[in-house]
Amino acid sequence: MAGYFEALPGGGAAVALDEVEIAILRSLSVQLLELIGPGDEPMEGEDPLAALFAEGPSEPPADPALARLFPDAYDSGESDELRASAAEFRRFTERDLRARKRDDALAVVRALDSLTPQGDGGAVLKLTADDSRRWLGALNDLRLTIGTRLEVSDEDDGGELYRLPDDDPRKPMVMAYLWLGGLQETLVETLMA
């Protein structure tokens, strides 16, 4: 396990992480939680059933990274009808989507916090199949967020990112983006094994 996920019997996955990798993953996951925002748990005295059926936002987020994490369901363009459909869909789905993304990021933080460091400060992380799916969701969300901040587009082949000079201030985020991509790819492979 050289820093990438490998399949475990029974559908799980394992990865050896050093102390720095653990700190980076935890920090990025906490930042993702902060970006997504707090949960919508019922306030004291509030009817939990009413909170369950409460509507969410109808407008897309202004922050480009959040807009990428919570995109419109329809390409509304100039159509008032499609804009109304997108707003309606968002109103009834975004709260649940936010909760799932928050749960995925929390699963990463909790798994990292539960690791028992070995002599070198690193540890081997072992995930069940369910935990692997949560991690896959969080890794995807982290890459989408970082990619948006780096202005990576679907048309980019990544060539420019690979050629950044070491003194470019984007270099650390590019390295994290590429590393998370490797983790994500190998985790998908373990789930398909």
Side-chain angles (χ1 to χ4, degrees):
M1 276 179 284
Y4 292 108
F5 283 98
E6 294 181 9
L8 290 176
V15 63
L17 298 168
D18 66 30
E19 199 172 1
V20 172
E21 292 168 330
I22 293 168
I24 290 170
L25 276 170
R26 189 179 192 293
S27 175
L28 289 173
S29 297
V30 167
Q31 290 176 55
L32 180 62
L33 284 165
E34 291 170 355
L35 179 67
I36 292 170
D40 294 326
E41 288 77 31
M43 304 286 278
E44 187 175 327
E46 184 180 2
D47 179 9
L49 191 57
L52 186 66
F53 292 105
E55 296 178 4
S58 61
E59 295 295 320
D63 182 317
L66 280 174
R68 185 72 173 104
L69 292 174
F70 305 104
D72 274 335
Y74 307 103
D75 182 12
S76 57
E78 299 297 317
S79 166
D80 288 340
E81 185 177 325
L82 285 177
R83 263 197 298 278
S85 294
E88 181 95 355
F89 187 82
R90 178 179 299 281
R91 185 169 42 254
F92 293 110
T93 60
E94 187 171 312
R95 286 170 52 110
D96 289 341
L97 184 57
R98 279 184 185 266
R100 186 186 56 78
K101 290 180 179 298
R102 195 172 12 270
D103 288 346
D104 290 347
L106 275 171
V108 170
V109 171
R110 288 179 178 140
L112 294 171
D113 286 351
S114 71
L115 289 175
T116 304
Q118 298 171 345
D120 60 356
V124 174
L125 173 71
K126 294 182 181 181
L127 302 172
T128 65
D130 285 339
D131 290 337
S132 294
R133 284 186 280 281
R134 284 187 199 93
W135 267 70
L136 188 57
L139 291 172
N140 185 61
D141 292 342
L142 288 169
R143 289 195 77 238
L144 286 172
T145 302
I146 294 170
T148 302
R149 297 288 191 235
L150 291 171
E151 298 179 347
V152 173
S153 71
D154 293 338
E155 293 80 35
D156 288 340
D157 65 359
E160 179 188 334
L161 294 178
Y162 292 110
R163 294 187 296 273
L164 286 178
D166 288 340
D167 62 349
D168 189 303
R170 299 173 295 167
K171 184 78 173 209
M173 289 311 295
V174 168
M175 298 304 294
Y177 177 79
L178 297 172
W179 174 60
L180 291 169
L183 287 176
Q184 185 179 18
E185 183 178 332
T186 58
L187 187 52
V188 167
E189 289 170 3
T190 68
L191 290 171
M192 294 173 51

